[in-house]
Amino acid sequence: MRSPKFPVTDDHIHIDPANGRGIEAAKDFLRAGGTHLFLVSKPSWSLSVHPASGADYTRVFDETIHVAEMIRATGLVVFPVLGVHPAEISRLSERMTLADAAMVMKDGLDAAAAYVREGKAVALKSGRPHYEVTPEVLTASNDVLAHALDLAAECRCALQIHAETGPCADVAGMAARAGVPVDRVVKHYGSPDTPLHPSLIAKHEAIADLAREHRPFTMESDYMDENSRPGAVTGPKSVPRYTLRLLESGRISVEDCYRIHGETIQKVYGVTVEIG
Ligand SMILES: [Zn+2]
């Protein structure tokens, strides 16, 4: 077992004992050198929850909090991130009007914000569809995203967004209007060209260069933990694995590791990252 003297943080991972490897995947992360992880709630449908109201999302959130507790028993530090997946708009609007779908999603985000206020979760998650949608769906999705930003401002917490590939430059303006610092809006699966805070997939080729420039970014696996899609994603070990690989090859320093996995995480999410 490798035990680095610095934190190794995955800021976007899913662990799903019902549909995936569950705690075994978290143990893989730990054994590979991982220390802290941001456990992101899964889309409602992946837990067979079909929300008719915002309150129905609490089943998804309670499950995430329960899984977080299970993972903590391994010794890992777990920060839950709760929210409503942007693709829910397409699923929900098969069963209800677009306006109602947006309302259910906003109410679901309100429910998530209650967990942040209670200290059970550290951040919210929202976004807009990363796939082609009609202008009406895009408008409704931006409305939901604006609501998530308002909640992040109220709760003084970070917001992870799942959105289309690219910089999402307009979201910086939306964040400013809501009063959320742009460096607390985390672009999940981000790229260096975003004005938001980029969370880079662990194997992103720009990591060593950005570290050298002291550009703030964090790292994620976006591991989905679904046995039905084993090859669909990077594995749970990818953040520690790529970090240690870059360190061992001399492309990043131990100081860089502290900055990426400790200091930057603390600044963006307002959590304490201790190690040692
Ligand atoms: Zn994800």
Side-chain angles (χ1 to χ4, degrees), residues 12-14 40-41 85 125 160 162 188 220 222-224:
H12 188 112
I13 187 169
H14 308 275
V40 182
S41 57
H85 195 284
K125 180 202 161 149
Q160 286 198 1
H162 183 160
H188 156 58
E220 63 174 54
D222 196 23
Y223 174 63
M224 287 297 293

Side-chain angles (χ1 to χ4, degrees), residues 162-178:
H162 183 160
E164 75 278 6
T165 305
C168 291
D170 64 310
V171 178
M174 293 172 73
R177 281 194 289 284

Side-chain angles (χ1 to χ4, degrees), residues 67-252:
V67 174
E69 280 304 322
M70 290 166 68
I71 299 171
R72 285 186 187 115
T74 69
L76 288 164
V77 178
V78 186
F79 301 117
V81 177
L82 304 179
V84 176
H85 195 284
E88 305 244 1
I89 200 145
S90 304
R91 301 260 180 158
L92 289 170
S93 53
E94 285 169 8
R95 295 187 276 121
M96 58 184 82
T97 66
L98 184 57
D100 284 346
M103 195 162 64
V104 167
M105 291 171 77
K106 286 184 190 179
D107 289 350
L109 285 160
D110 287 342
Y115 289 74
V116 175
R117 286 191 201 99
E118 289 166 24
K120 291 180 183 167
V122 303
L124 295 171
K125 180 202 161 149
S126 179
R128 58 190 178 199
H130 57 279
Y131 46 89
E132 203 70 42
V133 292
T134 64
E136 292 76 23
V137 170
L138 184 59
T139 300
S141 297
N142 275 323
D143 195 31
V144 173
L145 173 55
H147 184 68
L149 285 161
D150 285 341
L151 290 170
E154 266 172 57
C155 297
R156 297 178 175 277
C157 71
L159 175 70
Q160 286 198 1
I161 69 158
H162 183 160
E164 75 278 6
T165 305
C168 291
D170 64 310
V171 178
M174 293 172 73
R177 281 194 289 284
V180 181
V182 75
D183 50 8
R184 300 199 79 187
V185 181
V186 179
K187 176 83 198 295
H188 156 58
Y189 218 98
S191 46
D193 61 357
T194 183
L196 310 173
H197 171 83
S199 175
L200 302 177
I201 202 84
K203 65 179 179 205
H204 200 290
E205 68 282 353
I207 286 174
D209 289 342
L210 295 176
R212 197 173 314 112
E213 295 163 13
H214 287 205
R215 277 271 305 279
F217 67 90
T218 43
M219 289 171 66
E220 63 174 54
S221 61
D222 196 23
Y223 174 63
M224 287 297 293
D225 202 20
E226 280 175 18
N227 291 333
S228 59
R229 304 169 53 198
V233 283
T234 349
K237 301 177 194 168
S238 60
V239 170
R241 207 177 245 177
Y242 280 95
T243 299
L244 295 173
R245 200 175 286 175
L246 287 167
L247 181 66
E248 280 159 13
S249 65
R251 300 191 65 212
I252 62 172

